[in-house]
Amino acid sequence: MKPLFKKFLNITKKAIIGFMLLSVLLVVLMRWVNPLGSMLMVERKITHWNITQQRTWKDWDQISDNIKIAVIAAEDQNFSNHWGFDFKAINRALKHNQNNKKIRGASTITQQVAKNIFLWPSRSWVRKGFESWFTLWIELTWSKQRILEIYLNSVEWDEGVFGIEAASRHYFNVSASQLTPTQASLLAAILPNPRKWRPVNPNSNIQKKAEWIRTQMNNLGGKYYLDKLE
């Protein structure tokens, strides 16, 4: 029994070390190589096989500054300062969730990239552990520009619509480089539930959220905020 248990421990140890090395290698590689897709896209394809997925990669300079600052304003205003984890936002979310039925998240843009690119979308402590591991290495090896570039090219904006170029064409019939502040704020406003909400003919809640986002975009300094990411 002991030799069998020892063999099991050795196999487990090798598997863990192998996963750690492979995951770090993938993260470092994506510092320069654009991901072909994401685990979120794989999961959505499995559950909705008949839906054609839309995604066209766009480099940093081919994406409007308006949508860059809009998603930061909406999702992670401390993006330029933190190292992948916004502990103040986490504490606020924990206090809110103790007294409210509607759960509030506190994931940074980096954490969302880790989840979308490498992991499955379910909620669990195991998934959170893997997410933290990938988040740490992403922050250590990628620039903030690279993180935001991959985020904008991988985030889901509708059923089968992934990345900002596909979303811009899908909703506004323009390229990602042509998005106006209003269009960008509307796209950012639907991110909490992109398969349910729409930036075109939005309801009053989405309109108010978009207005708030535009105010925050100005408060952050607009495109000048992006200079901090270089």
Side-chain angles (χ1 to χ4, degrees):
M1 190 68 177
K2 287 186 177 180
L4 185 63
F5 182 67
K6 188 175 181 179
K7 184 178 181 180
F8 173 76
L9 287 179
N10 286 334
I11 293 173
T12 302
K13 181 180 178 181
K14 290 179 180 179
I16 292 173
I17 293 173
F19 165 78
M20 293 172 69
L21 292 175
L22 179 61
S23 61
V24 172
L25 176 62
L26 286 173
V27 172
V28 173
L29 188 64
M30 286 186 190
R31 179 178 179 179
W32 300 281
V33 179
N34 299 332
L36 297 177
S38 67
M39 287 302 296
L40 178 61
M41 292 178 69
V42 173
E43 191 274 340
R44 295 290 193 244
K45 190 63 177 176
I46 292 172
T47 55
H48 299 85
W49 187 256
N50 294 326
I51 293 178
T52 301
Q53 294 184 342
Q54 306 170 48
R55 178 179 179 268
T56 302
W57 180 274
K58 289 294 179 180
D59 293 330
W60 177 263
D61 292 336
Q62 298 172 304
I63 301 172
S64 168
D65 288 345
N66 293 320
I67 189 61
K68 296 170 187 174
I69 192 64
V71 296
I72 291 173
E75 299 285 294
D76 187 2
Q77 294 192 14
N78 201 31
F79 178 62
S80 66
N81 299 317
H82 65 62
W83 283 82
F85 305 94
D86 190 337
F87 294 106
K88 290 182 179 180
I90 292 172
N91 287 332
R92 289 195 299 269
L94 288 173
K95 291 179 181 178
H96 175 273
N97 296 340
Q98 288 176 350
N99 303 311
N100 294 272
K101 293 182 179 180
K102 187 176 181 180
I103 301 299
R104 176 186 294 174
S107 292
T108 63
I109 286 175
T110 313
Q111 288 174 285
Q112 292 181 56
V113 168
K115 178 183 67 176
N116 289 344
I117 297 295
F118 300 106
L119 302 170
W120 60 99
S122 64
R123 290 176 179 269
S124 70
W125 288 110
V126 173
R127 209 288 317 276
K128 273 293 182 184
F130 283 117
E131 180 185 297
S132 298
W133 168 259
F134 280 106
T135 297
L136 174 65
W137 282 102
I138 287 171
E139 284 282 346
L140 285 172
T141 58
W142 299 0
S143 68
K144 289 290 187 178
Q145 277 193 2
R146 182 59 171 168
I147 294 170
L148 188 57
E149 180 184 45
I150 290 184
Y151 173 81
L152 287 168
N153 277 287
S154 63
V155 69
E156 182 180 37
W157 257 295
D158 195 3
E159 198 75 68
V161 178
F162 296 89
I164 188 56
E165 177 67 15
S168 301
R169 299 288 183 185
H170 179 67
Y171 287 118
F172 301 114
N173 198 29
V174 299
S175 171
S177 64
Q178 299 172 308
L179 287 170
T180 66
T182 298
Q183 291 169 337
S185 65
L186 287 166
L187 283 169
I190 70 168
L191 283 178
N193 202 342
R195 292 192 291 170
K196 181 179 179 181
W197 299 337
R198 296 290 179 270
V200 178
N201 298 321
N203 61 36
S204 59
N205 289 334
I206 298 301
Q207 290 178 349
K208 290 177 182 178
K209 178 77 177 292
E211 290 173 4
W212 178 85
I213 290 172
R214 289 194 294 275
T215 299
Q216 298 304 307
M217 290 166 67
N218 291 328
N219 290 343
L220 288 173
K223 65 180 182 180
Y224 297 106
Y225 179 94
L226 301 175
D227 294 339
K228 301 177 182 179
L229 309 185
E230 296 179 356

